[in-house]
Each structure stands twice: as structure tokens, then as C-alpha cells.
Amino acid sequence: MLEVMGLNAGYGEIQILRDLSLTVEPGECVCLVGANGAGKTTLMRSLSGLLRPVGGSIRFDGQELARLSAHDVVTRGVALVPEGRRVFGPLTVRDNLEMGAFRHLWPPNKEKGRHDGFGRDLEFVLTLFPRLRERLQQPAGTLSGGEQQMLAIGRALMTRPKLLLLDEPSMGLAPLVVKEIFATIRALNAEGIAILLAEQNARMALRTASRGYVIAEGRIVNSADTAALQRDPAVQEAYLGF
Ligand SMILES: Nc1ncnc2c1ncn2[C@@H]1O[C@H](COP(=O)(O)OP(=O)(O)OP(=O)(O)O)[C@@H](O)[C@H]1O
Ligand SMILES: [Mg+2]
């Protein structure tokens, strides 16, 4: 489904990702574990068209994404839930979700009408996150951290992704809320949405995903099914605090 080959990316003269390759198969939940500054966000930004790679390829369902705009990547079925949520604080929860649905709203589809599928997608998100339903008219900036993370995931789901990229969804959240978010990730994966999950919380990520990659200094240094990674002494020492 997703096949990243020999990806090189960075900022100006600074190279961050080095010859990075990974795959995600349809319906899979794959995690990306790495320390601060390892390059997880840089990879997520490259995959979602926010950062143009210098070299290598990103194939998704047989199509090359590496040179597409962020908007075109979304329309191909890849949605990013960015690090730090990035919800639009002054806008209501409903407006934030509607912005996620721009794939259906823009360019306007005159034949089918503006709201084609919107109501159904909104219902899906509000059923998944009942707390958002209670807060539809509330400014997003007044939500708790966990609720903002739910909104960020909901906004991405409004684009009907086939692959969801989650960048540190547990960041800054209390343990109970983290559990809730990871339960949601499992539920979405069970619905058939493929997931690539970048996390510093290696423990939760390795429990949730079926396969994982370890990234260090912009390179993939280890990859295996998550059961094997959890038993790996190097992974235990570096990321699980053994
Ligand atoms: N806009 C930028 N300009 C220059 N360097 C950057 C920029 N953004 C990130 N970097 C550098 O790229 C490297 C990788 O950062 P990145 O954000 O991808 O790491 P990360 O694995 O997501 O870390 P974290 O777990 O802290 O989120 C870091 O050394 C960082 O300083
Ligand atoms: Mg990051």
C-alpha cells in the first residue's frame, strides 16, 4: 500500500532522513519508534506532502506521492494527524471537522451538492468520539488536551483516509487519556484503516502495532514484528527503560 524507498529529506542544507525505506500493507498498524530528534516528524511531513523530499520515492497504491502537494496527498487517501494536534483554536469543533472535510467541499461538486457524504462522515466521527458531539459549538481552543487530540483525529478522518499517519498522539496526555486514544487507534485499525504511528511512548506503540520500525538519526536501524522488538535487548534499553 505504502512503499517508501530510499527517502532523503531535510531542511535546506541539513539532511535529516537518510536513505529511509519502509512499507505499510493494507489494514496494517505499523509503529515508528525513535527518540527526540530522530526524524519521525520529518518523515510524517514528507509522507503527507508538507515537506518535499530531496530524493527517493513514496509510492501509495502504485502512485508516486513524493512530488504532490499536501492537498493532493489527502485526496489520494493519506491523512496526517500532526504532532501537537494543531486544531484551529478560535473555530468551533464543528468548523474544525468541516475543514477536514474540504476534500468533499472543495473543489465544490456542483452535481452532487456540497454536502455529499459530509453528514455520514460527521456521524462516524461523533459516534467514535461522543465527547466531541457534546462540544460541537465550543471553540476548539477550550478543549482539554485529550479532546483536542480526538478532534485532530476526527478532522483527519473527515477526509476518509485509507492510511492514517499519527504523529505522537500521546504527547502530553495523562495515562488514562493515552489509553483511550490508543483504544481508538485500535478500533480504527479494526475498521480497516491502515495506520502509521510515530511515538516516543514506545511501550504503548509496540503494544498497539503489529509491526514496527526503529528510527535513529534519520535512518531505520531496526524493523520487526512488535513482539520481537519488545524482546530485543537494544530496544528495551533504549526505548523501554529496562
Ligand atoms: N524546520 C526545521 N529546520 C531545521 N531543522 C529542523 C526543522 N525541523 C526539524 N529539524 C531538525 O530535524 C531533526 C529531526 O526532527 P524531527 O522533528 O523530525 O524529530 P522527531 O523524531 O519528530 O522528534 P520528537 O520526538 O521530538 O518529535 C532534529 O534535529 C530537528 O532539530
Ligand atoms: Mg516529532
Side-chain angles (χ1 to χ4, degrees):
M1 176 182 226
L2 177 73
E3 192 177 7
V4 178
M5 278 178 299
L7 195 67
N8 290 297
Y11 306 95
E13 300 282 279
I14 312 163
Q15 188 176 1
I16 305 293
L17 302 182
R18 295 162 196 276
D19 195 26
L20 187 148
S21 300
L22 60 77
T23 60
V24 179
E25 300 300 330
E28 241 191 339
C29 182
V30 175
C31 68
L32 186 68
V33 170
N36 279 129
K40 301 180 297 295
T41 297
T42 303
L43 173 63
M44 292 304 210
R45 290 172 55 82
S46 305
L47 296 180
S48 48
L50 294 168
L51 180 68
R52 184 149 303 200
V54 177
S57 84
I58 302 168
R59 292 188 77 78
F60 182 72
D61 282 350
Q63 280 183 308
E64 182 59 48
L65 298 188
R67 271 158 287 282
L68 296 185
S69 68
H71 175 272
D72 286 335
V73 170
V74 168
T75 62
R76 299 297 191 284
V78 179
L80 172 70
V81 181
E83 185 177 76
R85 358 261 192 235
R86 303 282 179 101
V87 298
F88 300 98
L91 297 186
T92 64
V93 167
R94 191 192 160 89
D95 287 344
N96 269 271
L97 292 173
E98 227 172 282
M99 290 190 67
F102 75 92
R103 172 183 170 184
H104 310 295
L105 305 181
W106 188 264
N109 185 335
K110 292 207 177 71
E111 268 163 50
K112 289 184 181 167
R114 189 169 175 275
H115 287 282
D116 176 45
F118 174 75
R120 199 183 54 207
D121 294 345
L122 185 64
E123 200 46 44
F124 175 74
V125 169
L126 298 180
T127 304
L128 191 67
F129 299 118
R131 269 199 267 173
L132 295 183
R133 192 191 296 277
E134 297 161 17
R135 294 171 172 77
L136 273 175
Q137 302 310 327
Q138 192 173 322
T142 64
L143 296 175
S144 72
E147 289 160 1
Q148 287 191 18
Q149 187 62 59
M150 292 170 195
L151 179 56
I153 295 173
R155 183 179 56 186
L157 291 173
M158 293 298 289
T159 69
R160 291 190 206 167
K162 291 187 253 181
L163 172 65
L164 196 57
L165 307 173
L166 291 157
D167 194 355
E168 306 260 12
S170 78
M171 192 199 255
L173 301 181
L176 218 60
V177 184
V178 171
K179 270 194 175 163
E180 205 177 325
I181 295 290
F182 275 91
T184 305
I185 294 169
R186 277 187 218 105
L188 290 171
N189 186 234
E191 295 263 348
I193 301 175
I195 287 167
L196 181 61
L197 170 67
E199 265 294 344
Q200 274 189 63
N201 187 336
R203 199 174 296 275
M204 284 303 276
L206 290 171
R207 271 188 213 157
T208 304
S210 57
R211 208 155 60 73
Y213 293 89
V214 179
I215 181 172
E217 293 172 14
R219 298 175 204 274
I220 299 294
V221 294
N222 198 349
S223 81
D225 64 71
T226 47
L229 286 176
Q230 283 170 299
R231 287 192 304 265
D232 185 317
V235 171
Q236 290 180 346
E237 196 189 335
Y239 305 104
L240 297 173
F242 278 42

